[in-house]
Amino acid sequence: MDLKHRLLQESFGYTEFRPGQQKLIDAILAGRDVLGVMPTGAGKSICYQLSGMLLPGVTLVVAPLISLMQDQVAALQRKGISACLLNSAQTAQERRSAMQIVAMGRAKLIYVAPERLLAPDFAALAKNLPISMVAVDEAHCISQWGHDFRPSYRQIPQFIRSLPKRPIISAFTATATAQVRQDIVTALELQTPERLVTSFDRPNLHYAVLRAYDREAQLVRFIRQQDGACGIVYCLTRKKTEEMARYLCDNHISAVAYHAGMDAMARRTVQQRFVSGAVPVIVATNAFGMGINKPDVRFVVHFGMPRDIESYYQEAGRAGRDGAPAHCLLLFDENDINLHEYLIGLDPENPALTDEEVEQLKKRNLARLKQMRRYVFTDQCLRQYILQYFGQDAPSFCGSCGNCEASSVEQDVTTAAQKVLSCVYRVKEQCDADVICRILLGSADEDIQCYAAVSTYGIMQDSTAEDIRAVVDHLVSFGYLVKQENPHPRLRLCASAKKVLFHGQKVVLRVRVSQEEAREVRESSRSSRPELAKELREYRRSAARRRGVLPYTVMPDTVLEKLVQQLPLTEDAVQAILRTDSRQGKRDAHKIVKIIQKYCLKHFTEKK
Ligand code: ADP
Ligand code: ZN
């Protein structure tokens, strides 16, 4: 085993590199500058930590937030890695002892706040340090056209130029459009860097947008559906965080508020209670989250629309870092847009910019806001919308976002999933997805013949390769299977596969309702769905009888017709048509959506 794999195992406790990590580390160790663009949670920090440990000299890590650096340094020290921290919030005593450690050459990784770089005492020390690398985390902060410009980042290139020998420069960010990426390369003066952009897709995240009709109640309803799981609720203002935390508590959901107006002590306590799991829900402004390493956040709700897709994706991305399914819900109100327009119109407090630059900045912020606004109104696949925003191609149907769900129905594929999983087991986890599919199909290909004696050979010969592939991809996306590359590409079982194989857990795949047929049916007269109308009327009649009320009070004809016409496929969509949020209404929506889904599944579905 080579040195970097050993370090990965022994110091960090991981068996394999994640996509992209190895390539960046290799480039750094070969002496090259790098630009790593990876989504939140992809594992950027290991890239500079691990390569920093292997470089001959020290590595300076520049990051925007002191709390983030403190946590990283503490985590490294617990792993026995020599790291220390220099920032302006330290007491003179703390700083002196950190400087001593550095001067004695006892720190391999030195975390520095950007504003300390040019402080005379540090600059003097730096000149005598063998600096192998300067790693810049959250590198988009250097771009004044990015969504999170920090003037202190402008000091980084100046500092690097003042060093006797130019170190390797590595830059990392989670949010960068092509323009901001170029900006980072230019501003940091990266020299023909190895650029690596990993997929921005987070397949375990489910995206949804809901228009507010009764936002507070919608939020409570959503959180109740999460069965006590941990989550973050982002609000646009400090006042709102406190109001909503109180509102949730009044509704028996344990929640705490967090915003930058609270004193440091209070913030720390609140944060700790959330991270430790003592309180499941934190209601916060966007001041919360950077550097918080809580892998099991199961939902992120935006109670209000953020100002741009970058912010949204970064905040929503704090859900599901452990790879298990998680929800990202945006509850928006048209007033949110006005609020952002107003805020963008205010002069940014930034003396470093000329009037002309301020104007340009506003224009770009408004353009970004427009894209965010399009997101909440689009009926396109939400995942595709986000990925395209970041310059990545994506299929037009992901099957796990609110918009895809509104144009698809569920299909139980548990049996197929069991066959796939047991096939992976039977071949001792030695085959990749393609081979698994061909074994299940009973392929006559020569390279498959050695599996002809395996008990799962040919047990799915009535399916198509695409169908099986869809199930395999789904099992990978949802963490039942994992793809491994070393020593050769293969699928391996995850612990949760047992639930499907032995404990009756269902696997459900989304099947898209054919748009053309749906449109055709929609365009022809309503009476072309007498079957559905009849079923809905029957439901209405029996519900009315049970409740002892008249049928039209369950739903009037106008509503029934609307259901038949629009074919809403989610409970939320049905409820929006029923225009009720009562318990009764919810139960109706639950039943009605099943009836409509069944109808659609029967009449016009296409394969995913
Ligand atoms: P980022 O900075 O990209 O948001 P982090 O570096 O904080 O992400 O890593 C996210 C999580 O993934 C952390 O919990 C980290 O320990 C974990 N992680 C990173 N690399 C690996 C790996 N190769 N195998 C398993 N877990 C990893
Ligand atoms: Zn989708």
Side-chain angles (χ1 to χ4, degrees), residues 188-246:
L188 282 176
E189 299 162 7
L190 300 184
Q191 293 175 0
T192 54
E194 172 78 53
R195 292 166 189 249
L196 185 120
V197 184
T198 58
S199 168
F200 268 58
D201 190 16
R202 302 271 312 277
N204 61 314
L205 299 189
H206 175 282
Y207 304 101
V209 176
L210 282 183
R211 261 182 104 144
Y213 51 93
D214 181 355
R215 231 195 308 210
E216 282 77 13
Q218 285 170 297
L219 177 67
V220 167
R221 176 150 67 94
F222 173 83
I223 296 179
R224 290 219 177 105
Q225 285 166 354
Q226 308 304 312
D227 283 338
C230 294
I232 307 171
V233 177
Y234 280 110
C235 297
L236 298 180
T237 62
R238 296 174 179 182
K239 187 161 150 254
K240 200 82 202 164
T241 63
E242 294 180 355
E243 279 173 24
M244 287 313 295
R246 218 171 304 124

Side-chain angles (χ1 to χ4, degrees), residues 8 14-18 21 38-46 137 293 295 321:
L8 182 70
Y14 302 132
T15 48
E16 298 226 23
F17 284 107
R18 293 223 184 119
Q21 289 178 331
M38 300 159 123
T40 305
K44 285 179 286 297
S45 23
I46 280 193
D137 205 357
N293 194 358
R321 290 175 84 156

Side-chain angles (χ1 to χ4, degrees), residues 330-492:
L330 202 169
L331 275 168
F332 90 101
D333 185 291
E334 239 137 298
N335 289 325
D336 299 341
I337 300 168
N338 303 336
L339 174 67
H340 286 304
E341 267 171 5
Y342 168 75
L343 290 174
I344 290 172
L346 297 178
D347 268 349
E349 291 167 31
N350 189 352
L353 298 181
T354 64
D355 286 354
E356 202 180 313
E357 284 173 328
V358 167
E359 274 318 300
Q360 212 172 345
L361 189 61
K362 279 186 195 168
K363 251 171 73 197
R364 300 212 187 188
N365 286 340
L366 283 174
R368 265 198 210 105
L369 177 63
K370 220 162 139 187
Q371 302 265 49
M372 185 72 234
R373 186 175 174 280
R374 274 188 53 214
Y375 177 80
V376 299
F377 286 109
T378 186
D379 52 13
Q380 185 189 345
C381 165
L382 296 173
R383 186 180 313 275
Q384 185 191 37
Y385 186 96
I386 293 173
L387 293 177
Q388 284 179 342
Y389 182 85
F390 290 112
Q392 192 180 324
D393 275 341
S396 63
F397 181 78
C398 78
S400 69
C401 75
N403 288 354
C404 284
E405 280 168 4
S407 65
S408 67
V409 291
E410 290 186 334
Q411 197 180 34
D412 188 329
V413 291
T414 310
T415 314
Q418 287 168 339
K419 289 176 180 170
V420 169
L421 294 173
S422 51
C423 186
V424 172
Y425 175 74
R426 292 291 168 203
V427 300
K428 304 195 167 58
E429 307 180 313
Q430 293 301 316
C431 300
D432 66 8
D434 172 59
V435 173
I436 294 287
C437 287
R438 286 187 293 144
I439 296 173
L440 288 162
L441 281 170
S443 156
D445 297 347
E446 207 169 310
D447 60 328
I448 300 299
Q449 290 320 300
C450 55
Y451 300 107
V454 173
S455 61
T456 48
Y457 178 82
I459 55 167
M460 294 181 81
Q461 54 186 344
D462 295 333
S463 304
T464 64
E466 292 83 66
D467 283 352
I468 303 181
R469 195 54 198 242
V471 175
V472 172
D473 290 346
H474 182 84
L475 291 171
V476 172
S477 295
F478 285 84
Y480 298 107
L481 288 174
V482 61
K483 283 184 183 164
Q484 266 187 11
E485 298 302 325
N486 290 318
H488 56 86
R490 60 199 178 120
L491 287 175
R492 301 197 59 186

Side-chain angles (χ1 to χ4, degrees), residues 169-181:
I169 306 171
S170 57
F172 299 88
T173 175
T175 57
T177 51
Q179 186 189 24
V180 172
R181 259 173 237 169

Side-chain angles (χ1 to χ4, degrees), residues 44-64:
K44 285 179 286 297
S45 23
I46 280 193
C47 298
Y48 56 77
Q49 290 167 349
L50 197 147
S51 52
M53 288 163 70
L54 290 172
L55 288 170
V58 301
T59 286
L60 298 186
V61 182
V62 184

Side-chain angles (χ1 to χ4, degrees), residues 488-522:
H488 56 86
R490 60 199 178 120
L491 287 175
R492 301 197 59 186
L493 296 165
C494 300
S496 54
K498 277 208 190 100
K499 292 189 206 151
V500 178
L501 281 170
F502 308 116
H503 304 300
Q505 174 149 331
K506 280 207 168 137
V507 180
V508 175
L509 197 67
R510 287 246 153 216
V511 187
R512 188 180 197 168
V513 171
S514 147
Q515 294 300 311
E516 269 141 52
E517 270 183 276
R519 203 178 310 122
E520 232 168 69
V521 178
R522 210 171 283 144

